[in-house]
């Protein structure tokens, strides 16, 4: 009955064995250094900086249902294992499988075709390693998408502040709608504020 209501989603692809490169963060892109966390509703991501001033983000392929649930309950604190409700976790994991796990790899081509900026993620196995420092507890030993953080975009809060305080700032409505329609097409409902 559950499958009838919700569908099969892409569960089999999350369990599929694949080959990816293993990355050492101290040599990747010339050496990445962690500078902070982005704690979103469905993922915890680590931000990295490069000596050249660029920033990168490392997002897990496999979403963590417990962290998602806890982020709702504990207001975006990166916590694990505060909730052990197996039924809730199974339901949330099913929710995460509604989007194809490898969609980020084709998204740049789709975005370019409709004129929307997108990052160029690379799927890598990131083992636990010294450069992760205190993030080793919650990150590493998994598959992650690593991509350069866009520099020409601003967060939602900053955008709203600019619009409300200065009439010279406007949202590019056509591009905004184009980007949101693409999100809807691919089922990306958890776009973060950045």
């Amino acid at each position: 009955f559950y499958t009838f209501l919700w569908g099969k989603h892409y569960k089999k692809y999350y369990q599929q064995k694949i080959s990816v490169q293993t990355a050492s963060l101290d040599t990747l892109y010339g050496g990445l250094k962690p500078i902070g966390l982005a704690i979103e509703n469905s993922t915890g991501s680590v931000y990295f900086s490069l000596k050249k001033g660029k920033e990168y983000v490392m997002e897990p392929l496999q979403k963590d249902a417990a962290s998602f649930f806890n982020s709702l309950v504990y207001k975006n604190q990166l916590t694990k294992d505060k909730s052990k409700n197996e039924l809730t976790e199974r339901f949330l994991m099913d929710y995460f499988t509604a989007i194809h796990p490898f969609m980020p790899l084709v998204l740049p081509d789709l975005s370019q075709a409709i004129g929307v900026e997108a990052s160029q993620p690379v799927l890598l196995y990131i083992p636990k390693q010294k450069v992760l420092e205190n993030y080793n507890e919650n990150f590493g030993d998994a598959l992650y998408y690593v991509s350069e953080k866009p520099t020409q975009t601003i967060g939602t809060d900053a955008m709203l502040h600019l619009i409300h305080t200065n009439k010279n700032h406007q949202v590019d409505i056509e591009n905004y709608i184009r980007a949101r329609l693409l999100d809807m097409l691919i089922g990306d409902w958890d776009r973060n504020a950045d």
Side-chain angles (χ1 to χ4, degrees):
F1 181 72
Y2 183 88
T3 303
F4 171 76
L5 284 178
W6 300 102
K8 292 182 182 178
H9 297 164
Y10 295 103
K11 291 179 192 136
K12 70 179 182 179
Y13 297 105
Y14 281 89
Q15 298 167 355
Q16 181 178 349
K17 292 188 180 203
I18 61 169
S19 295
V20 297
Q21 289 185 327
T22 298
S24 179
L25 295 170
D26 58 352
T27 58
L28 185 66
Y29 302 118
L32 298 176
K33 180 180 176 169
I35 56 171
L37 290 176
I39 303 170
E40 301 300 334
N41 284 340
S42 63
T43 63
S45 303
V46 181
Y47 286 127
F48 292 90
S49 69
L50 202 70
K51 291 178 183 174
K52 300 172 189 172
K54 292 182 178 180
E55 289 186 7
Y56 288 80
V57 63
M58 180 178 92
E59 300 181 78
L61 169 77
Q62 183 76 40
K63 310 296 186 195
D64 183 353
S67 291
F68 172 73
F69 179 74
N70 289 329
S71 74
L72 297 175
V73 174
Y74 300 103
K75 300 296 178 206
N76 287 332
Q77 297 173 20
L78 186 62
T79 55
K80 290 212 180 231
D81 301 324
K82 285 191 179 174
S83 171
K84 285 292 188 187
N85 184 332
E86 186 178 323
L87 183 60
T88 302
E89 285 189 37
R90 281 182 46 215
F91 176 76
L92 289 173
M93 284 310 299
D94 189 64
Y95 163 77
F96 290 133
T97 63
I99 189 167
H100 197 287
F102 307 120
M103 177 57 74
L105 297 175
V106 298
L107 194 54
D109 290 335
L110 292 174
S111 299
Q112 184 179 13
I114 62 168
V116 172
E117 264 192 64
S119 62
Q120 305 283 325
V122 178
L123 183 60
L124 300 165
Y125 171 73
I126 308 286
K128 292 191 180 293
Q129 50 197 281
K130 279 186 177 180
V131 74
L132 280 170
E133 299 169 352
N134 58 337
Y135 300 120
N136 263 315
E137 183 180 337
N138 295 309
F139 296 93
D141 195 26
L143 296 176
Y144 291 89
Y145 284 108
V146 178
S147 59
E148 187 176 344
K149 195 174 173 200
T151 56
Q152 296 180 348
T153 59
I154 61 171
T156 303
D157 292 338
M159 177 195 69
L160 291 173
H161 175 74
L162 288 173
I163 290 170
H164 293 301
T165 58
N166 188 331
K167 292 181 182 181
N168 293 327
H169 293 283
Q170 296 180 346
V171 174
D172 184 340
I173 296 170
E174 186 177 321
N175 278 331
Y176 176 80
I177 291 173
R178 200 178 293 148
R180 291 305 294 149
L181 287 173
L182 179 62
D183 288 344
M184 290 176 203
L185 175 70
I186 64 170
D188 185 359
W189 305 108
D190 69 342
R191 180 176 289 274
N192 60 41
D194 288 339

